[in-house]
Amino acid sequence: MSAYGHLAQFYDRLTEDVDYKALAGHYERQITQGGRQPKLVLDLACGTGTLTRMLAERGYQMIGADASAEMLAVGAAFGGPQILYLQQDLTELDLYGTVDAAICTLDGLNYLPPDDLEQVLRRVFLFLNPGGVFAFDLNTPEKLKGLDSEIFCDEREDLLCLWRCSFDADKRTCRYDFDLFEKQGKYWLRNRETHVQYVFVADEVREMLERAGFAEVAVTGDAERMFFTAIRRNR
């Protein structure tokens, strides 16, 4: 099963600990840096659209793009501000016009192999207005290495989620194997799903951004997460 297929319907419950308010504040500061006033914002790998909706509620016109139809269906079921959701492979990103800013949060870009990541950066550059900010985050290599052989459990009355992590230094990947047990009456329904994230170091991502045409690349963060900002310059 592809990433975020069956898991999509439980994603919001399993990520209740994420501080989306703080995340929205961080990304709003990034896309408005230097006095910028973006109106139309692209949220790549938007998932169920929690952050997309928060930014829409702050007055931004939002486009949410994600490869998972299941995740987008969950997001579209919410009420609130009007959002344009697009089901697209990010390597084939194709918008109806340009946007003023773009974001990608919660390590969405870690799911891309290196060649695909570079292609996505080029597609974002193509659809970003000159002077616009692209802001995103990635899991650090240290965090992904540290997950090797770890087992996690999230147990609810009607849901049990187990996931096992394995790190491959040669392939530079971290694999997550999920087992989802959903209670249905007196029985439990089991579904399985596998996700793979790729390891990136800051310097190689910086070089990718510069090759794509971005300038003023800045990197901040901590041991677990790297935050990037880059400006779309004129060619």
Side-chain angles (χ1 to χ4, degrees), residues 1-29:
M1 183 180 290
S2 62
Y4 296 112
H6 189 78
L7 185 61
Q9 62 182 298
F10 307 113
Y11 180 80
D12 290 332
R13 292 178 62 190
L14 295 171
T15 56
E16 291 172 339
D17 60 330
V18 175
D19 190 347
Y20 280 103
K21 184 176 180 180
L23 204 58
H26 168 82
Y27 278 99
E28 185 173 27
R29 289 191 294 274

Side-chain angles (χ1 to χ4, degrees), residues 72 83 105 124 163-164 168 194:
L72 290 173
I83 296 168
T105 68
V124 173
W163 65 101
R164 303 165 182 82
D168 189 317
T194 296

Side-chain angles (χ1 to χ4, degrees), residues 90-135:
L90 299 188
T91 62
E92 300 175 358
L93 180 69
D94 190 11
L95 305 181
Y96 301 105
T98 54
V99 297
D100 301 315
I103 63 173
C104 186
T105 68
L106 295 174
D107 47 83
L109 295 181
N110 277 108
Y111 284 87
L112 300 170
D115 289 346
D116 286 355
L117 175 58
E118 188 144 8
Q119 174 65 12
V120 170
L121 300 181
R122 294 181 184 279
R123 298 301 291 177
V124 173
F125 183 92
L126 179 65
F127 291 105
L128 187 60
N129 285 325
V133 177
F134 180 31

Side-chain angles (χ1 to χ4, degrees), residues 167-186:
F167 182 81
D168 189 317
D170 293 331
K171 294 181 179 179
R172 297 180 64 187
T173 60
C174 185
R175 171 174 168 151
Y176 310 86
D177 290 305
F178 290 89
D179 283 285
L180 290 159
F181 298 86
E182 180 187 1
K183 191 172 184 180
Q184 295 189 349
K186 61 181 181 179

